[in-house]
């Protein structure tokens, strides 16, 4: 397999021209920016010394744009204009999103934009998730420029490993909008591995367990000196620290026997719940106190024992996708060299213990779980910008989450790039025409694990024209799929004799949720035998259709070779085959094909003789004898 060398040898910058490069962890809950200073990756703090920038943007009615903590404090007061977790909307259409009804936002639905990304109506007009993310990135860029005191060469921005084309493209667009030069998008687990790989010079197979505010991601990586390869990814897009907060929030309501709450009071108690959860990480008991707008006073104590009891199902819930990712990578827990903990929620002792028990080894904790992704991104950015120390020859591999393929006759999928292929990757395959004289070919690019197009996700369609007319099966059309290091797909089709070419960069209007990916993967397994049956059926149907067309074409040309009776028999056989062709009785189709083949055997022989005669017309008898 071809490895990508992401930094060319001999391009190191001279020491005095150190280029300013940053790594950005653009998180669902929190974002960070880091850089490499004197050979060390460090997170850049804000002017108050805080490393995190809450991924919250407020579009106030007075025209001010607030980002981070300033926006977060307005969450309860101005929920509609204060956007949280915008990462969930990146590259997504409205119908991709769950729980839209419970969100406080005013989604702008444009009639003719069925395939477009969701947009939010705010006090400052309609904002796309790309613009909101760009505002977060602008905040981080300003912080970095202030801290580094100069022009930035570029940035590495991290994305979840399962992010598809649309989501990656949206992230890149946001960075461009924020005036950042994107050196590369980097998968979050890979960034975490880079951070650990450098610090510990570790080798082996690692699991990256990332429990953030609202998402859980598990990745299996293979590390050997200088090479990172993602073997498998998995997770749950609706599981994170927020769910732990919610359990505590419900416990508070139950204990304090509270009546229905106002929006502000609910917000306040949610904040208290989160504070208590975080406090419990280092203490055995957390006080919860709050005065509500009704005048009621909440005064409770949450112990670790109770907390563990009300949240143990959440802890357990992370192990399902973990098991599955291991299965995908064909590994057992004891084959994992170490577990890298990422995300603020992995600080919880119950999570640490569950992971330790599952893998049978103590997870890696010597880096701050909030910062590890940003630190790895900074290291990578530093290398890409050309600030390489001698001997730093990094190779970097990632995988694509779902198979990529092409629709073939009969609505079948021909997979060109199987899922979990390492990127960048390029694969080509030759296809041919189905009909005589066919001059155009429609190409339909799909993503998914199932055998039939109708069960996969459609990514793009395009057409190759200008194929010279030839008999069916004679043209050679080479279709090439290329997935670049950012995970973006380009497809090209080229007719080999004429060199006619068509290509497309696949930019679907919005992406898939990882639940959908999981569902599609699951369906791929459970339907495997069903699919095999349907595939066999489709193949017979395609074969039969080909036979029908061949006989029809022969009849058009040479019907004069047949008697009326013979013609009637062939017509009968044809009609029979055409009628069973559309059904799902494979045996019946095969029998009808057989009958038609037999029924046309004599006809075929006569046509053969006729063409031989034509070919030999005008030749002398002696010459014919020798044939
Ligand atoms: P994301 O990757 O989604 O942006 P983070 O990695 O920043 O999220 O994680 C945020 C989550 O981590 C929040 O739910 C927060 O409450 C939780 N968290 C942060 N510190 C602690 C702590 N000390 N104990 C428990 N949870 C914590
Ligand atoms: Mg994160």
């Amino acid at each position: 397999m071809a490895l990508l060398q992401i930094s060319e040898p001999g391009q190191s910058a001279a020491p005095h021209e150190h280029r300013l490069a940053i790594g950005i962890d653009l998180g669902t809950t929190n974002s960070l920016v880091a850089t490499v200073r004197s050979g060390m990756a460090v997170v850049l703090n804000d002017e108050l010394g805080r490393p995190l920038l809450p991924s919250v943007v407020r579009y106030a009615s007075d025209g001010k744009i607030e980002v981070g903590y300033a926006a977060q404090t307005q969450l309860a007061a101005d929920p509609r204009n204060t956007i949280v977790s915008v990462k969930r909307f990146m590259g997504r259409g409205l119908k991709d999103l769950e729980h839209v009804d419970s969100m406080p936002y005013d989604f702008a639905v444009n009639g003719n934009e069925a395939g477009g990304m969701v947009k939010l109506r705010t006090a400052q007009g309609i904002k796309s998730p790309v613009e909101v993310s760009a505002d977060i990135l602008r905040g981080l860029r300003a912080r970095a420029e202030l801290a580094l005191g100069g022009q930035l060469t570029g940035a590495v921005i991290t994305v979840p490993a399962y992010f598809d084309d649309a989501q990656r493209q949206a992230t890149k667009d946001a960075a461009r909008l924020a005036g950042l030069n994107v050196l590369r998008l980097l998968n979050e687990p890979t960034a975490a591995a880079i951070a650990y790989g450098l610090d510990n010079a570790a080798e082996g197979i690692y699991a990256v367990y990332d429990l953030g505010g609202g998402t859980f991601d598990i990745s299996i990586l293979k590390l050997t000196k200088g090479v990172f390869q993602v073997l498998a990814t998995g997770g749950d897009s609706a599981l994170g620290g927020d769910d732990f907060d919610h359990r505590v929030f419900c416990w508070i309501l139950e204990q304090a026997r509270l009546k229905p709450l106002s929006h502000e009071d609910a917000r306040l108690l949610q904040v208290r719940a989160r504070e208590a959860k975080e406090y419990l990480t280092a203490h055995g008991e957390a006080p919860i106190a709050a005065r509500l707008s009704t005048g009621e006073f909440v005064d409770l104590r949450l112990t670790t024992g109770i907390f563990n009891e009300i949240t143990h199902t959440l802890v357990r819930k992370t192990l399902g996708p973990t098991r599955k990712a291991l299965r995908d990578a064909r590994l057992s827990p004891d084959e994992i060299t170490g577990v890298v903990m990422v995300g603020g929620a992995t600080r919880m002792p119950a999570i640490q213990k569950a992971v330790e028990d599952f893998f049978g080894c103590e997870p890696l904790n010597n880096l701050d779980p909030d910062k590890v992704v940003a630190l790895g991104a900074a290291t990578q950015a530093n290398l890409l910008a050309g600030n390489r120390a001698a001997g730093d020859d990094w190779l970097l591999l990632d995988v694509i989450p779902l198979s990529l393929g092409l629709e073939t006759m009969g609505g079948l999928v021909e997979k060109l790039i199987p899922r979990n292929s390492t990127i960048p990757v390029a694969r080509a395959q030759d296809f041919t025409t189905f009909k005589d004289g066919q001059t155009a070919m429609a190409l339909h690019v799909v993503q998914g694990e199932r055998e039939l197009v109708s069960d996969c996700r459609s990514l793009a369609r395009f057409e190759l024209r200008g194929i010279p007319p030839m008999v069916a099966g004679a043209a050679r059309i080479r279709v090439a799929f290329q997935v670049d290091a950012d995970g973006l797909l380009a497809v090209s089709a080229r007719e080999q004799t004429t060199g006619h070419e068509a290509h497309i960069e696949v930019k679907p209007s919005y992406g898939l949720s990882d639940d959908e990916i999981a569902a599609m993967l699951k369906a791929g397994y459970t339907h495997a035998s069903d699919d095999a049956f349907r595939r066999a059926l489709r193949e017979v149907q395609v074969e039969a259709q080909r036979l029908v067309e061949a006989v029809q074409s022969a009849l058009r040309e040479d019907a004069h070779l047949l008697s009326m009776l013979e013609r009637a028999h062939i017509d009968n056989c044809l009609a029979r085959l055409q009628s069973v062709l559309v059904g799902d009785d494979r045996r019946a189709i095969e029998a009808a094909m057989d009958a038609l083949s037999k029924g046309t055997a004599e006809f075929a022989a006569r046509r053969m003789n006729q063409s031989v005669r034509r070919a030999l017309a005008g030749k002398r008898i002696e010459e014919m004898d020798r044939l």
Side-chain angles (χ1 to χ4, degrees):
M1 187 152 306
L3 305 184
L4 168 75
Q5 184 152 11
I6 56 167
S7 57
E8 293 297 322
Q11 287 188 353
S12 313
H16 62 278
E17 51 175 26
H18 180 91
R19 301 194 184 105
L20 301 179
I22 54 171
I24 290 177
D25 173 3
L26 186 60
T28 310
T29 319
N30 296 305
S31 298
L32 298 95
V33 56
T35 194
V36 173
R37 260 185 188 151
S38 325
M40 271 277 287
V42 289
V43 166
L44 301 172
N45 295 339
D46 68 6
E47 66 279 10
L48 295 178
R50 298 172 297 196
L52 301 180
L53 178 74
S55 304
V56 186
V57 182
R58 175 172 178 237
Y59 296 99
S61 49
D62 62 5
K64 256 206 330 235
I65 298 177
E66 290 170 324
V67 180
Y69 291 103
Q72 201 173 41
T73 54
Q74 299 304 310
L75 205 50
D78 189 15
R80 178 155 298 199
N81 297 311
T82 309
I83 320 295
V84 296
S85 301
V86 71
K87 190 171 175 177
R88 290 185 184 278
F89 302 151
M90 291 290 271
R92 302 289 173 97
L94 201 53
K95 66 170 192 248
D96 287 325
L97 301 172
E98 280 174 46
H99 315 301
V100 170
D101 297 338
S102 64
M103 293 180 189
Y105 310 123
D106 185 0
F107 290 99
V109 189
N110 189 334
N112 57 14
E113 244 192 324
M117 213 185 294
V118 293
K119 292 203 172 73
L120 307 165
R121 205 168 275 134
T122 74
Q124 295 183 28
I126 292 176
K127 297 283 174 185
S128 83
V130 170
E131 293 170 274
V132 180
S133 299
D135 282 323
I136 298 169
L137 290 170
R138 260 187 216 109
L140 295 170
R141 179 184 158 204
R143 183 191 290 193
E145 282 175 349
L146 195 70
L148 302 176
Q151 189 79 28
L152 300 177
T153 299
V156 165
I157 299 174
T158 59
V159 290
Y162 60 77
F163 253 28
D164 66 16
D165 276 304
Q167 293 165 301
R168 284 167 199 264
Q169 197 65 56
T171 307
K172 262 192 152 172
D173 291 346
R176 231 171 277 137
L177 208 56
L180 287 166
N181 170 34
V182 182
L183 297 168
R184 207 194 143 163
L185 297 180
L186 181 64
N187 284 345
E188 288 161 11
T190 311
I194 287 173
Y196 271 99
L198 275 182
D199 287 9
N200 307 342
E203 300 204 351
I205 297 171
Y206 285 80
V208 180
Y209 180 105
D210 181 350
L211 192 62
T215 53
F216 170 61
D217 300 316
I218 179 84
S219 316
I220 311 296
L221 303 183
K222 194 172 170 183
L223 264 82
T224 43
K225 204 168 178 54
V227 179
F228 296 95
Q229 185 177 3
V230 186
L231 298 180
T233 64
D236 187 334
S237 64
L239 179 60
D242 297 348
D243 297 288
F244 290 75
D245 302 353
H246 190 70
R247 293 274 162 99
V248 174
F249 172 74
C250 293
W251 178 82
I252 297 173
L253 297 189
E254 210 180 278
Q255 295 298 308
R257 295 203 178 75
L258 293 172
K259 308 244 159 40
L261 296 170
S262 70
H263 199 80
E264 285 75 32
D265 285 345
R267 266 277 162 213
L268 176 66
L269 289 182
Q270 275 160 4
V271 172
R272 290 288 176 272
R274 181 182 189 149
E275 287 166 354
K277 172 195 75 174
E278 293 181 3
Y279 190 80
L280 275 182
T281 289
H283 304 84
E285 207 177 85
I288 299 172
R291 183 174 295 284
L292 305 182
S293 58
T294 54
E296 285 167 289
F297 195 71
V298 176
D299 185 13
L300 296 164
R301 300 203 148 261
L302 178 62
T303 63
T304 300
I306 295 169
F307 178 71
N308 287 346
E309 204 180 297
I310 61 179
T311 60
H312 80 275
T313 50
L314 296 174
V315 175
R316 240 194 12 232
K317 218 172 151 189
T318 65
L319 298 178
T322 305
R323 242 176 244 119
K324 196 181 160 306
L326 280 174
R327 216 169 36 231
D328 282 353
R330 293 175 214 280
L331 292 167
S332 59
D334 57 303
E335 288 174 275
I336 299 295
T337 321
V339 186
V340 178
M341 297 298 257
V342 181
T346 61
R347 287 210 178 86
M348 288 184 284
I351 291 287
Q352 294 281 337
K353 176 151 189 333
V355 172
E356 181 170 344
D357 289 349
F358 181 87
F359 287 100
C361 65
E362 200 184 321
L364 286 169
N365 273 320
N366 40 333
L367 291 177
D368 195 329
D370 287 333
K371 298 181 181 170
V372 55
V373 168
L375 295 175
T379 303
Q380 192 59 213
N382 191 52
L383 293 176
L384 290 175
N387 302 321
R388 225 153 37 92
D392 278 348
D393 288 320
W394 287 92
L395 299 173
L396 192 56
L397 296 176
D398 278 334
V399 292
I400 54 162
L402 288 171
S403 301
L404 294 165
L406 215 53
E407 172 169 358
T408 60
M409 287 307 299
L412 295 174
V413 178
E414 184 74 32
K415 283 178 193 151
L416 264 80
I417 303 183
R419 112 191 151 86
N420 276 339
S421 293
T422 50
I423 54 171
V425 60
R427 294 276 164 82
Q429 193 162 319
D430 285 345
F431 291 86
T432 189
T433 46
F434 182 69
K435 286 191 173 158
D436 290 344
Q438 185 178 339
T439 57
M441 190 182 209
L443 293 127
H444 183 195
V445 183
V446 296
Q447 188 170 37
E449 305 315 306
R450 301 286 299 276
E451 298 276 357
L452 299 183
V453 167
S454 50
D455 297 324
C456 290
R457 179 186 174 78
S458 171
L459 283 184
R461 291 173 189 274
F462 68 112
E463 230 174 55
L464 176 66
R465 296 186 168 279
I467 302 172
M470 291 180 230
V471 291
R476 273 212 5 255
I477 290 120
R478 174 152 302 175
V479 179
F481 276 40
Q482 203 164 6
V483 182
D484 70 12
D486 295 327
L488 299 173
L489 171 68
V491 179
S492 68
R494 184 188 168 91
E495 202 289 306
Q496 296 292 79
T497 55
T498 58
H500 261 97
E501 198 171 309
H503 51 86
I504 185 169
E505 205 163 303
V506 179
K507 282 183 196 161
S509 43
Y510 54 80
L512 276 179
S513 74
D514 55 337
D515 283 356
E516 274 176 289
I517 292 183
M520 287 165 91
L521 291 177
K522 188 153 160 270
Y525 295 130
T526 46
H527 294 278
S529 62
D530 194 24
D531 274 4
F533 165 80
R534 289 207 279 166
R535 178 164 199 113
L537 174 65
R538 287 297 170 97
E539 276 167 2
V540 169
Q541 287 172 328
V542 169
E543 203 49 50
Q545 186 62 38
R546 200 171 302 202
L547 180 62
V548 166
E549 287 182 15
V551 170
Q552 284 171 335
S553 148
L555 285 175
R556 271 194 302 276
E557 284 172 28
D558 294 320
H560 63 275
L561 297 174
L562 296 168
S563 72
M564 289 233 314
L565 212 64
E566 288 167 330
R567 172 72 199 247
H569 178 60
I570 291 177
D571 282 344
N572 261 341
C573 292
L574 252 184
R576 165 82 191 142
L577 180 56
Q578 281 172 307
S579 76
V580 293
L581 180 62
V582 288
D584 60 1
D585 187 346
R586 204 173 109 204
R587 292 254 153 92
I589 300 172
E590 281 167 345
M593 281 171 73
D594 206 37
L596 181 59
S597 299
K598 285 205 180 93
T600 54
E602 174 60 26
F603 180 37
R606 278 181 216 160
R607 293 186 73 214
M608 182 74 89
N609 285 342
Q610 171 185 268
S611 55
V612 169
R613 266 200 308 278
R614 275 183 197 147
L616 297 181
K619 302 247 161 64
R620 284 186 295 144
I621 297 291
E622 303 85 274
E623 283 177 288
M624 283 176 79
D625 276 350
R626 266 188 270 123
L627 284 167

